[in-house]
Each structure stands twice: as C-alpha cells, then as structure tokens.
Amino acid sequence: LSEARIKTAFVQNRCLHKDGWDKAVRELCNEHGVRYQGFWLLTGNRFVSGSELVRKMAKRYGSTPEQVLFSFVTRGLGILALSGTKNPQHMREDLAVASGGLVLTADEIAELRVLELPKHTSNDPVKATFHSELQEDAEVFWVNPDSQALVHL
C-alpha cells in the first residue's frame, strides 16, 4: 500500500468467520486509512446466524438472526457491510441495523467474537442428492480429508 501512486480508498473482501473475519486485512486497512468493506457476510457465515447464541439474541431483540450478525460485523468489528440482497424485506432489515435499530451490548459482541466453528470430521454423515439428465449412471467420489484417500461411493 505504501508503494501505490494512487491511495487506496476501499478494500472489498469476502469476510468469513472461518478466516478470522479477515482480521489481518482489516488491520492493514486500518493502519493505512483504507475503509474495509466485507461481503458474503450472511451467506458465508450461516452457521453463525444459525447458532443458538445468535438465535437467542435475535429473540431477545425481536429481530432476525441475520440482523444480529449484521450488527456484530458492523458495530462489533467495524466492517462496512456490502449487502447483495435483492429481497426488499431483507434490505429493510439491513437498513434498520445500519441506522442503529439494533445495537448489541459490549458483552454480546464479546460472546460473538469467541464463537467457535462447529467441529466436523470425516465420519460425520453427509446427505447429497445428484440429478442427471443423462441416461448413464453417475460415479461419485469423495476425498477423505483425514487420509487423503479417494473413496468411490
């Protein structure tokens, strides 16, 4: 950033819990006065909005879990949220949060900061349905993440 001839004003990045909410990039932006804009905040973090913690907060506030997540990332993490919704109701909900309609407490933000990813293993059941318009049967393979073995299903 220090070598750029034209100062960067914004960085738009996919922002996921599993990647630490893009903390290193957000910190770099902050150090250089660059505004960080996060996208895929709802779609990419469904386990957060679906968590028991977030659902309880939503119930307490009379809001949606997605509004709780938006409040957390915008106010708790300082991210400018880019909403890609085409649904008018979802946009109204997003705007309600952006205009201060849902402000989480410092304790709630702290709880959300330490929310852990669900633990999955290769032994967890997975249900997948495949549809083919071909007359042939499909062969399905899976790479076991533990052994890296190719498994024919």
Side-chain angles (χ1 to χ4, degrees):
L1 288 176
S2 61
E3 296 175 15
R5 288 185 304 133
I6 299 172
K7 184 177 179 346
T8 302
F10 295 94
V11 166
Q12 295 180 344
N13 236 13
R14 182 176 297 146
C15 189
L16 304 172
H17 174 281
K18 74 177 188 72
D19 297 328
W21 299 109
D22 214 13
K23 184 178 180 183
V25 174
R26 289 187 295 112
E27 287 176 347
L28 181 65
C29 287
N30 192 44
E31 289 171 18
H32 292 275
V34 175
R35 187 73 168 127
Y36 181 93
Q37 298 177 313
F39 65 87
W40 223 44
L41 293 163
L42 298 180
T43 305
N45 295 296
R46 291 182 196 265
F47 92 90
V48 176
S49 57
S51 70
E52 184 177 348
L53 174 64
V54 169
R55 285 182 286 128
K56 284 181 180 179
M57 287 180 187
K59 186 175 183 179
R60 191 166 48 244
Y61 283 102
S63 67
T64 68
E66 292 78 12
Q67 285 177 299
V68 171
L69 178 54
F70 251 51
S71 182
F72 169 66
V73 297
T74 57
R75 297 184 186 280
L77 299 177
I79 294 171
L80 179 59
L82 297 177
S83 176
T85 188
K86 293 174 181 62
N87 180 304
Q89 178 59 36
H90 292 167
M91 182 55 72
R92 283 189 288 278
E93 292 167 356
D94 294 350
L95 291 171
V97 172
S99 64
L102 174 59
V103 179
L104 301 173
T105 67
D107 287 343
E108 290 167 331
I109 290 169
E111 284 182 275
L112 289 168
R113 283 183 185 270
V114 297
L115 184 66
E116 292 188 24
L117 282 168
K119 306 291 186 241
H120 298 289
T121 70
S122 60
N123 295 324
D124 291 340
V126 175
K127 180 179 179 180
T129 304
F130 298 92
H131 299 280
S132 173
E133 294 181 13
L134 302 173
Q135 297 300 320
E136 304 169 8
D137 289 336
E139 291 193 53
V140 179
F141 295 88
W142 171 70
V143 176
N144 182 322
D146 296 328
S147 67
Q148 298 303 309
L150 185 63
V151 180
H152 184 239
L153 302 176

